[in-house]
Amino acid sequence: MPFALSSLTLSSPAFGPGQAIPRKHSGEGEDVSPALLWEDAPRGTRAFALFCHDPDAPLVQHGGYGFVHWVLYNLPAETTQLTEASTAGTPGVNDFGLPGYGGPMPPEGHGEHRYYFWVLALDVDLDLPAGLRLDELLARTEPHLLGMNRLVGRYRRD
């Protein structure tokens, strides 16, 4: 999948680019997804998909994106934000083997990790079934990708 950034922007009121992700959004805290907002979707956008992965994780699964913490899709074009702990969209399966969000939690003693939150703008509403892994989602969305961007946060286990 070509990871070319576009004019689409992604932000969070919980943390800024390169900043620490609050404990609340981690596996050590409440383990709830952060609020996310995106703007400047490419013309012709009909749907969005999101995912979060940790490329610093020592365990790489299903195609080499690091450890996948969140896969979410079937978000309509009118969606420009997700609230904290949102239940919008269709959850895929993360690398914990569970649907929905699983927050940052690097292995003990592994130091700080980076967490990439991605938003993908698609030219069609694919109406995908629940439970896709990230590699499956990317295979289905790549032909329909109009734009994408990311927000990178950091987390260090206490």
Side-chain angles (χ1 to χ4, degrees):
M1 172 168 213
F3 279 81
L5 304 181
S6 71
S7 63
L8 182 63
T9 61
L10 180 62
S11 63
S12 175
F15 63 96
Q19 293 182 343
I21 297 169
R23 181 182 173 95
K24 176 181 194 174
H25 304 294
S26 78
E28 295 182 290
E30 295 174 38
D31 208 13
V32 295
S33 61
L36 296 172
L37 306 101
W38 52 93
E39 299 178 301
D40 299 324
R43 186 180 203 143
T45 297
R46 302 275 312 272
F48 293 100
L50 292 160
F51 66 94
C52 174
H53 70 109
D54 170 4
D56 300 322
L59 301 173
V60 176
Q61 302 181 34
H62 310 298
Y65 293 99
F67 194 87
V68 176
H69 287 265
W70 196 15
V71 180
L72 186 67
Y73 43 92
N74 294 338
L75 295 164
E78 301 78 39
T79 306
T80 58
Q81 63 182 345
L82 294 176
T83 59
E84 181 178 276
S86 177
T87 58
T90 303
V93 174
N94 59 43
D95 283 346
F96 294 110
L98 301 170
Y101 180 80
M105 196 161 148
E108 283 191 41
H110 208 259
E112 185 173 83
H113 282 215
R114 295 166 297 152
Y115 295 85
Y116 286 66
F117 290 80
W118 291 90
V119 61
L120 312 176
L122 308 173
D123 67 1
V124 65
D125 180 0
L126 295 170
D127 193 26
L128 298 169
L132 296 179
R133 293 186 325 260
L134 178 57
D135 61 319
E136 295 170 321
L137 174 67
L138 295 178
R140 294 186 186 188
T141 58
E142 184 175 9
H144 303 285
L145 187 61
L146 291 175
M148 62 193 309
N149 217 323
R150 68 181 184 238
L151 171 65
V152 181
R154 300 176 293 103
Y155 190 81
R156 177 185 300 273
R157 191 169 180 177
D158 289 341

